[in-house]
Amino acid sequence: MMKNNKKTKAQEEQKNIEQIKIFDTTLRDGEQSPGCSMNLEEKLRMAEVLQALNVDIIEAGFAIASNGDFESVKKISTILDGPIICSLSRASHKDIDRSAEALRYAKRKRIHTFISTSALHMKYKLQLEPKDVLDLVIDSVSYARNKVDDVEWSPEDGSRTEHDFLCRCIEEAIKAGASTVNIPDTVGYAIPDEFHDLISMIKNRVPNIDKATISVHCHNDLGLAVANSLSAVQAGARQIECTINGIGERAGNASLEEIVMAIKTRKDLFPFSTNIKTEIITRSSRLLSAVTGFSVQPNKAIVGANAFAHESGIHQDGMLKHSSTYEIMTPESVGLNKSTLVMGKHSGRHAFKCKLEELGYHVLENELNDAFQRFKDLCDKKKEVFDEDIIALVDDGISDTGEYIKFVSLSLQCGSKGPAKASLVLNVMGNDKEVNISGDGPVDAIFKGISTLVTGDYDLQLFAVKAVTEGTDAQAEVTVRLVENGKTVNGQAADTDTMVAAARAYVVALNKLITKREKTSLYANMMSK
Ligand code: KIV
Ligand code: ZN
């Protein structure tokens, strides 16, 4: 009885804790940064992970920016049924129409419209007078509000906007129907105390501010995006815009994992909660790195390879005596299950499926068969199979790209004596083709071999290798980025042999490129008819 009462009290307390909404813009502001572009399939995979992470809002794209952006907002709206799906629009009817159209099938939808309000941006970028900008704020928000119930408005370069004008614009945006007002530090110029005061000033001076949620959107040019966002929460902001791994324009956006774990770890200073399932953080971070080829630095907070590693003797001694001596959060709380060696060559299909579900994957039957086969192959090569190995194996395998080219075999001769030689067999459109070629090192030989067997106008832009787990038998995860006529594709593959992973990743990228070519010519044919 006592126990029950206690639980009810705890639940009651939990209910009274204010929520901070997490607005994820990895697929919009993040994807906008050089080298981070994703294709439709990659965006869908990321969107599914963001749903598993339980973010409140996903900014899925800028619908008018390109057909690709429109399609991804539309597809994400159709497939996901948890978070609010949002599309960005400038202060124009055309943009808002396009967002509304892309969001048509979303269960819960939001239009985010913005316009610059700083004197600098109005004069040089927009070449508009403040009164015209104010008219556009009212017009765009009212227009968007006629299309959807949930409208967010942002004054771009808000942190450098003159205060009277900023307050006026916010007041009018709320009157016109915005239920969220987002204050961006567009150029990452603010300092935490100053940004705190800006949010307090808005709370004190905008008469109808109680009718909207205050959101913040901070860039990281001075390395202060997370600090500024957290300061804003202490001043009254209740939504934070952020990205996985902090990717975004220039130095990036505020990093989701840092914000969420700061709120969770420092309850004494942040008596708030978020809906984020923090155990999915590592998986989200790794998927984004794999998909974009953008690895995080080893010492990156929360998701860096060293974030939970204790090297010095004094620290290790303290850890052994009591982990809280040097660990302010557990690795398990962010989904790092280092200690669990779970699966091995005796594990069956059912156990493998349960493991995938535990890791947050709900795969289709054919994907399961394929992943299980690759898991078995991996067990033959690797003594210990960790959760991270399984994640890499599944993430690399889920793809709706056509398999025009298949990797068949590779043997190599390399070392310090003479050029490296590769003997490579690929199956190209159903026919096995072989090449024997030498190169300046094994990677060069393999890549030369592949481009001899599959000719085209593509260039290699990135080759990145990452060890999935520790030990000399760890799987290597390789990302290869190819560019052809301005179109970029990333291929990933994991294998215990780094060179085999490199060849497979190149083949994955080529298949994506060919899929893209097919779609482009199909589209061109459709247009010419
Ligand atoms: O940084 C920025 O100002 C933006 C807005 C569109 C919110 O990304
Ligand atoms: Zn931004």
Side-chain angles (χ1 to χ4, degrees):
M1 197 63 190
M2 275 277 286
K3 231 180 173 180
N4 264 346
N5 279 345
K6 262 192 189 157
K7 204 173 170 198
T8 315
K9 202 174 161 216
Q11 279 171 341
E12 209 39 54
E13 276 167 10
Q14 181 67 25
K15 235 174 61 191
N16 292 335
I17 288 181
E18 266 192 274
Q19 284 270 324
I20 305 296
K21 288 185 209 155
I22 299 295
F23 177 114
D24 181 277
T25 183
T26 307
L27 298 175
R28 198 278 296 170
D29 216 336
E31 208 254 349
Q32 229 163 276
S33 54
C36 280
S37 65
M38 294 172 233
N39 64 25
L40 178 60
E41 179 213 327
E42 290 161 345
K43 284 188 188 171
L44 288 179
R45 279 166 69 191
M46 268 319 294
E48 272 167 5
V49 164
L50 292 173
Q51 175 162 265
L53 190 62
N54 214 21
V55 303
D56 298 283
I57 303 112
I58 294 180
E59 190 162 49
F62 190 173
I64 201 152
S66 67
N67 286 337
D69 258 50
F70 177 85
E71 282 308 323
S72 58
V73 176
K74 189 169 162 192
K75 200 76 197 247
I76 290 169
S77 299
T78 315
I79 288 175
L80 299 196
D81 56 7
I84 295 172
I85 310 299
C86 175
S87 172
L88 185 70
S89 319
R90 287 165 299 188
S92 95
H93 290 197
K94 251 173 107 180
D95 278 39
I96 294 167
D97 286 340
R98 197 81 176 132
S99 280
E101 174 61 20
L103 291 168
R104 189 200 290 203
Y105 301 107
K107 314 266 173 317
R108 300 195 298 149
K109 54 187 97 169
R110 173 179 294 184
I111 291 181
H112 177 191
T113 176
F114 73 101
I115 189 165
S116 290
T117 49
S118 67
L120 196 75
H121 277 221
M122 289 190 291
K123 181 169 178 199
Y124 294 108
K125 190 180 104 169
L126 300 177
Q127 297 175 340
L128 287 174
E129 291 300 320
K131 64 175 176 20
D132 303 322
V133 169
L134 188 58
D135 286 346
L136 281 168
V137 172
I138 299 167
D139 179 71
S140 57
V141 174
S142 336
Y143 190 75
R145 190 65 180 73
N146 277 328
K147 304 264 167 194
V148 293
D149 291 337
D150 184 349
V151 175
E152 171 171 331
W153 177 73
S154 290
E156 192 185 359
D157 207 17
S159 58
R160 292 194 299 171
T161 296
E162 192 268 318
H163 287 186
D164 285 349
F165 186 60
L166 181 63
C167 289
R168 191 73 218 287
C169 289
I170 295 174
E171 184 182 348
E172 290 304 324
I174 297 172
K175 270 193 208 156
S179 47
T180 304
V181 284
N182 174 50
I183 311 303
D185 181 26
T186 303
V187 288
Y189 183 71
I191 302 293
D193 276 356
E194 179 192 26
F195 203 57
H196 177 284
D197 292 350
L198 178 70
I199 302 303
S200 299
M201 184 281 295
I202 291 169
K203 273 202 82 168
N204 292 332
R205 285 188 47 194
V206 176
N208 54 358
I209 195 69
D210 58 315
K211 303 207 165 42
T213 300
I214 301 178
S215 166
V216 288
H217 175 112
C218 298
H219 280 269
N220 205 30
D221 299 65
L222 293 174
L224 293 169
V226 170
N228 285 333
S229 307
L230 292 173
S231 254
V233 165
Q234 288 177 318
R238 292 294 176 263
Q239 175 180 290
I240 304 182
E241 304 201 351
C242 45
T243 59
I244 303 290
N245 296 344
I247 65 164
E249 284 275 359
R250 307 179 309 280
N253 288 61
S255 123
L256 180 147
E257 58 278 5
E258 292 176 24
I259 283 169
V260 168
M261 291 315 287
I263 293 175
K264 187 170 172 151
T265 307
R266 295 303 308 270
K267 278 271 169 290
D268 52 333
L269 296 176
F270 298 99
F272 307 110
S273 64
T274 71
N275 284 323
I276 297 299
K277 294 197 172 129
T278 58
E279 308 74 38
I280 310 289
I281 283 179
T282 300
R283 192 182 139 206
S284 317
S285 162
R286 288 190 177 163
L287 179 63
L288 183 68
S289 294
V291 154
T292 58
F294 253 56
S295 298
V296 293
Q297 79 215 44
N299 61 329
K300 159 90 172 65
I302 320 293
V303 291
N306 294 347
F308 292 92
H310 302 273
E311 184 73 30
S312 92
I314 295 174
H315 288 205
Q316 285 178 349
D317 180 53
M319 282 293 293
L320 288 170
K321 288 178 176 146
H322 202 291
S323 62
S324 62
T325 49
Y326 287 101
E327 214 163 65
I328 57 167
M329 56 200 147
T330 64
E332 290 78 14
S333 66
V334 300
L336 254 185
N337 260 335
K338 277 227 151 77
S339 52
T340 48
L341 162 66
V342 263
M343 306 292 289
K345 67 174 169 198
H346 302 298
S347 310
R349 202 167 170 282
H350 183 230
F352 182 68
K353 187 169 183 229
C354 291
K355 183 76 215 167
L356 289 185
E357 276 164 12
E358 190 189 307
L359 293 170
Y361 289 91
H362 299 280
V363 290
L364 301 172
E365 203 58 23
N366 60 331
E367 288 168 347
L368 176 69
N369 292 340
D370 183 48
F372 185 61
Q373 187 51 53
R374 283 182 300 119
F375 163 70
K376 284 289 179 189
D377 293 345
L378 182 64
C379 292
D380 285 337
K381 294 186 205 160
K382 200 171 182 290
K383 267 204 319 271
E384 303 172 327
V385 176
F386 296 93
D387 287 358
E388 289 85 345
D389 288 313
I390 297 176
I391 290 171
L393 181 140
V394 179
D395 281 342
D396 290 342
I398 299 174
S399 162
D400 67 359
T401 306
E403 250 198 307
Y404 305 93
I405 305 158
K406 290 182 187 139
F407 171 85
V408 178
S409 68
L410 169 72
S411 50
L412 278 169
Q413 188 190 319
C414 58
S416 56
K417 291 184 186 153
K421 290 187 180 129
S423 177
L424 175 76
V425 183
L426 298 183
N427 183 287
V428 183
M429 314 279 186
N431 301 313
D432 279 1
K433 290 188 174 185
E434 182 169 1
V435 65
N436 293 295
I437 198 160
S438 55
D440 197 2
V443 177
D444 187 48
I446 295 168
F447 288 5
K448 267 188 187 155
I450 298 177
S451 54
T452 309
L453 295 180
V454 187
T455 51
D457 213 5
Y458 52 85
D459 288 319
L460 175 72
Q461 204 185 53
L462 176 101
F463 167 66
V465 186
K466 202 179 101 201
V468 174
T469 48
E470 283 149 30
T472 48
D473 67 350
Q475 284 196 97
E477 188 170 63
V478 174
T479 303
V480 165
R481 184 180 303 147
L482 300 176
V483 187
E484 184 181 66
N485 301 327
K487 292 193 170 64
T488 306
V489 289
N490 287 316
Q492 289 91 34
D495 199 283
T496 47
D497 185 316
T498 310
M499 293 304 118
V500 172
R504 286 187 189 278
Y506 203 118
V507 167
V508 172
L510 274 178
N511 280 322
K512 285 188 179 174
L513 211 54
I514 297 171
T515 308
K516 260 194 176 177
R517 277 186 209 151
E518 299 257 305
K519 282 188 184 157
T520 314
S521 63
L522 206 72
Y523 185 68
N525 280 342
M526 273 160 52
M527 297 304 277
S528 65
K529 278 185 187 156

